[in-house]
Amino acid sequence: MNEKPAYQPSRGDRVGIIIFMIAGAGLVVGSGISAVLRIMQVLLGEQIPVHVQPINLTAQAPVGPGGTTIPMQVDAATVTVPSLPEAAFGAEILGQIIRFGTIAAVTVCLLLLAQQLFRGQVFSRRNTKLATAAGLVGITGSATAAVLSGTVGGTVLFEIGDGATDGFVFLVADPTVYILGGFALAVVLTAFTIGARLQRDTEGLV
């Protein structure tokens, strides 16, 4: 049984939704191309930039008056290697696949949600499920990709330092980002759940 539309989107709303859907499709294509190029770079063994996060590392930088060197704390850096170590090879490729899959899955959920809004269905169980799926996949996929990226960075530093890993840490995204993301997801899902209930009650009175 088709749900009765709660409202009819204005022409401006429809245009905005269409633009959003086109942008979402472009995002998936762009992220796919980026993932393929990165994987090809890894497979071909070209000069590969790798993001790393050193800890307690101080470097002398010529940023003082007259070019004098000043010690600076290095929190993040990018190193370029001719090829990835065997231990990091699979992690990098898997990380790229998971990152693209996460972007694609979240975008598809949001595009389906936008389609529902285009039809005038704002609050419904289907929309709540789509928002839930997008949030959970986004948080889980992003965290997994970050851990794999940290594994690659840590392995590269281990190889460069010939096993001397003191002063370096695997790159893992700030957990605060995921805590805030989970909180935002909970708020959105609560709003959708309450809205769907109110919409059903309102339609039952008509």
Side-chain angles (χ1 to χ4, degrees):
M1 181 178 179
N2 295 329
E3 296 180 354
K4 181 181 178 181
Y7 83 105
Q8 292 297 327
S10 66
R11 179 176 298 180
D13 290 337
R14 290 178 181 272
V15 171
I17 293 174
I18 291 174
I19 293 175
F20 171 79
M21 296 176 73
I22 294 174
L27 176 63
V28 173
V29 173
S31 62
I33 294 175
S34 176
V36 170
L37 292 177
R38 177 66 174 182
I39 291 174
M40 289 299 297
Q41 187 180 48
V42 172
L43 293 175
L44 295 175
E46 301 174 356
Q47 294 296 313
I48 306 171
V50 179
H51 187 65
V52 296
Q53 185 179 7
I55 186 172
N56 295 329
L57 176 64
T58 302
Q60 299 294 326
V63 296
T68 57
T69 58
I70 295 178
M72 298 183 65
Q73 179 74 35
V74 180
D75 296 321
T78 299
V79 297
T80 302
V81 294
S83 62
L84 292 180
E86 293 183 4
F89 188 84
E92 177 65 23
I93 293 178
L94 181 60
Q96 292 298 320
I97 294 174
I98 290 178
R99 185 174 291 106
F100 168 70
T102 299
I103 293 174
V106 171
T107 302
V108 168
C109 289
L110 294 179
L111 289 178
L112 292 175
L113 181 58
Q115 184 182 44
Q116 288 290 97
L117 297 178
F118 190 84
R119 295 175 176 175
Q121 299 290 345
V122 181
F123 297 113
S124 66
R125 293 177 180 176
R126 175 184 173 86
N127 289 359
T128 302
K129 292 178 180 178
L130 288 173
T132 302
L136 293 179
V137 171
I139 293 175
T140 304
S142 297
T144 303
V147 170
L148 289 172
S149 179
T151 301
V152 173
T155 303
V156 168
L157 288 175
F158 183 87
E159 292 288 334
I160 293 176
D162 195 23
T165 56
D166 292 341
F168 296 97
V169 65
F170 287 103
L171 174 63
V172 179
D174 185 356
T176 304
V177 175
Y178 299 101
I179 294 174
L180 292 176
F183 177 74
L185 175 61
V187 172
V188 171
L189 295 183
T190 300
F192 267 88
T193 301
I194 295 175
R197 186 182 303 115
L198 291 175
Q199 180 171 309
R200 289 195 301 271
D201 293 343
T202 301
E203 291 174 353
L205 296 176
V206 177

